[in-house]
Amino acid sequence: MVHTGVHNSPGSNPNPTHMNKFAFGCAVVASIISIIFGYDTGVMSGAQIFIKDDLKVNDNQIEVLMGILNLCALVGSLTAGKTSDVIGRRYTIALSSVIFLVGSVLMGYGPNYAVLMVGRCIAGVGVGFALMIAPVYSAEIASASHRGFLTSLPELCISLGILLGYVSNYCFGKLTLKLGWRLMLGVAAVPSAILAFGIFKMPESPRWLVMQGRLEEAKKIMVLISNTEQEAEERFRDILAAAEIAVKAAGHDVRKNQGKSVWRELVIKPRPAVRLILIAAVGIHFFEHATGIEAVVLYSTTIFKEAGVMSNDKLLLATVGVGLTKAVFIVIATFLLDKVGRRKLLLTSTGGMVFASTSLAIGLTMVQRFGRLVWALRLSIVSAYTFVAFFSIGLGPITWVYSSEIFPLRLRAQGASIGVAVNRIMNATVSMSFLSMKKTITMGGVFFMFAGIAVVAWWFFFFMLPETKGLPLEEIEKLFGGGDARDGLEIQAKRVNNKI
């Protein structure tokens, strides 16, 4: 049994309102995989300029190269949910690191377009694994009071990786044409190798261990990631109840949850609460990319060139500004998620994106019609940075926080994988069609379209996404009508009374 009282385990803190240092360290290490993914995304923004010159490829080939990562990530994300349920969250992170390592080496070698594509496809599978497993692992080791912060770390690390990718573009871009872009892509193999081995110093998710019937191991880890043994015992009991495991008085005889398959419960014949949860998760992932962030991050050099920035050095410096803006505002978001809440930040973020997309569309349209205009150039750059800032303070991190916390324990990994699959489909759709849409409806027209989609997203979030701040994972289903419906109504009533 876990005894009540204060303990001296690593990372312990007698005040349960303080963040547990051990849990924080685990979340940081798990999120390193997201830095690698972010780096790969950011570095391609500038590397494409040099790849196009060196390998003599056209715009259509560049579109495919940019977007193929996300199509392959779709395969990875759909596989990752089942994989993490079978081998565990920790080993799934290690596996994604190895996949990234192989992909990075092939891209860094890249003697021709075909090999580059193969490397990009392999890295894409790693992306699918990483995007699913990092936030799920972080959510499962975090306490309710700090879950928003810890679960947003993967998105913060993606932003830091994007910024490092932009900086890498600027630094390695000064080397010879044949060497520069290959180093940009190949250097990602180094952190992949380090993480593949470092991950084994981390504990397994206690919630996954409970689902496997390994209760003693789960209790020991729960003590490490909680501030007091009383908190550890309470969290452990909540997990047992959510997992529907009977704990008998004479020891722990485990009865694993039997019944419908996970996919049947999720998709084929879900309960009403699970259906609403799935709609919420799929919707937020859909709108994260349908509103246009990938266009700004991946094609920032194209956008700034269209606005009137001419030299490669200035283009690459302008993209560093995009990465820096994204990183700074996600840092701010990580500290606001558990104080302000998911819902307020999400609605503010989406509203700001509507404004920024519209002003960016106006600036680009003016340049297209009247030629290079200084005020339109400035408006376009400021609007692009503003768009990234609003995205990063809300929709960016909250997509991953929210979708990783709302699913019931038994459905969490594969539910999250469905969300990631939708996310990658939309990412691929935008990244592989942006240049073609630009030719068809102009770049300004594309961003007017993104502004319209953001308006629809705002109304979806307003009606479909309840606040989850501060609730244990095991209670969130009640907000969607799961469990005892009266409990969900009581939670909502308390939020209204407390103006949450």
Side-chain angles (χ1 to χ4, degrees), residues 475 478-479 482-494:
E475 290 186 13
K478 297 173 184 176
L479 292 174
D484 189 337
R486 289 172 298 178
D487 291 340
L489 292 174
E490 288 175 8
I491 292 170
Q492 296 284 26
K494 287 178 183 178

Side-chain angles (χ1 to χ4, degrees), residues 207 210-211 236-245 257 408-410 412 473-475 477:
R207 287 175 167 85
V210 167
M211 290 298 294
F236 186 66
R237 286 175 177 171
D238 286 342
I239 296 170
L240 289 179
E244 298 177 0
I245 294 181
N257 192 3
L409 173 59
R410 172 172 161 76
R412 185 169 300 133
L473 289 175
E474 289 69 33
E475 290 186 13
E477 184 183 357

Side-chain angles (χ1 to χ4, degrees), residues 21 35 43 64 66 135 147 178 204 220 236 241 260 273 281 306 312 314 320 365 371 376 388 406 446:
K21 293 179 181 178
I35 292 182
V43 81
V64 172
M66 300 295 247
R147 190 175 61 248
K178 290 189 177 296
E204 184 52 83
K220 291 177 183 178
F236 186 66
K260 303 173 184 176
E306 185 91 359
N312 282 349
K314 287 181 179 178
V320 171
T365 300
V388 171
I406 57 176
V446 173

Side-chain angles (χ1 to χ4, degrees), residues 178-202:
K178 290 189 177 296
L179 179 62
W181 67 265
R182 289 181 171 85
L183 282 177
M184 292 176 195
L185 301 179
V187 75
V190 177
S192 299
I194 294 172
L195 180 60
F197 292 101
I199 201 72
F200 294 106
K201 297 291 184 180
M202 292 167 49

Side-chain angles (χ1 to χ4, degrees), residues 320-342:
V320 171
V322 171
L324 189 59
T325 301
K326 197 171 190 298
V328 167
F329 279 88
I330 284 188
V331 169
I332 295 171
T334 58
F335 291 101
L336 294 178
L337 278 166
D338 291 315
K339 294 180 181 178
V340 176
R342 284 64 154 154

Side-chain angles (χ1 to χ4, degrees), residues 19-307:
M19 186 178 299
N20 181 275
K21 293 179 181 178
F22 187 70
F24 173 73
C26 291
V28 168
V29 174
S31 299
I32 291 175
I33 192 70
S34 299
I35 292 182
I36 302 167
F37 162 55
Y39 177 86
D40 191 68
T41 300
V43 81
M44 281 302 293
S45 176
Q48 62 168 308
I49 300 172
F50 307 105
I51 292 171
K52 193 172 182 180
D53 290 341
D54 187 22
L55 301 183
K56 310 302 180 188
V57 294
N58 57 41
D59 282 347
N60 289 335
Q61 289 174 300
I62 289 293
E63 272 189 330
V64 172
L65 183 65
M66 300 295 247
I68 198 68
L69 181 100
N70 296 297
L71 291 180
C72 295
L74 173 62
V75 177
S77 64
L78 291 174
T79 307
K82 181 64 175 178
T83 302
S84 70
D85 280 344
V86 174
I87 68 174
R89 316 310 196 210
R90 184 175 62 160
Y91 287 112
T92 303
I93 294 174
L95 178 60
S96 66
S97 300
V98 172
I99 296 171
F100 260 128
L101 173 64
V102 175
S104 298
V105 169
L106 283 175
M107 286 190 291
Y109 171 56
N112 52 52
Y113 183 77
V115 173
L116 188 60
M117 280 287 289
V118 171
R120 189 103 169 128
C121 287
I122 293 173
V125 176
V127 166
F129 272 79
L131 287 175
M132 191 289 296
I133 195 59
V136 166
Y137 179 85
S138 299
E140 291 189 343
I141 65 170
S143 64
S145 59
H146 297 102
R147 190 175 61 248
F149 178 86
L150 294 183
T151 313
S152 65
L153 288 178
E155 180 65 20
L156 171 60
C157 288
I158 289 174
S159 297
L160 291 175
I162 290 172
L163 176 58
L164 289 173
Y166 289 155
V167 172
S168 173
N169 287 156
Y170 185 72
C171 295
F172 290 129
K174 299 180 183 300
L175 300 177
T176 61
L177 179 62
K178 290 189 177 296
L179 179 62
W181 67 265
R182 289 181 171 85
L183 282 177
M184 292 176 195
L185 301 179
V187 75
V190 177
S192 299
I194 294 172
L195 180 60
F197 292 101
I199 201 72
F200 294 106
K201 297 291 184 180
M202 292 167 49
E204 184 52 83
S205 161
R207 287 175 167 85
W208 181 81
L209 290 171
V210 167
M211 290 298 294
Q212 304 305 306
R214 295 158 61 178
L215 301 188
E216 292 301 323
E217 292 177 65
K219 283 197 299 183
K220 291 177 183 178
I221 294 171
M222 190 60 76
V223 169
L224 292 176
I225 62 175
S226 300
N227 289 325
T228 66
E229 290 192 0
Q230 181 178 1
E231 179 194 349
E233 184 173 349
E234 290 173 356
R235 292 173 66 184
F236 186 66
R237 286 175 177 171
D238 286 342
I239 296 170
L240 289 179
E244 298 177 0
I245 294 181
V247 182
K248 298 185 178 180
H252 292 295
D253 293 332
V254 178
R255 174 177 58 84
K256 291 189 179 181
N257 192 3
Q258 303 292 331
K260 303 173 184 176
S261 70
V262 170
W263 283 104
R264 181 176 175 80
E265 290 182 59
L266 265 175
V267 180
I268 300 172
K269 199 172 181 181
R271 291 176 286 114
V274 173
R275 184 182 298 112
L276 290 175
I277 288 170
L278 185 62
I279 290 171
V282 168
I284 195 170
H285 276 288
F286 173 86
F287 285 117
E288 183 189 24
H289 288 290
T291 48
I293 186 61
E294 198 67 15
V296 177
V297 171
L298 204 55
Y299 292 103
S300 54
T301 52
T302 305
I303 293 169
F304 294 141
K305 189 172 184 178
E306 185 91 359

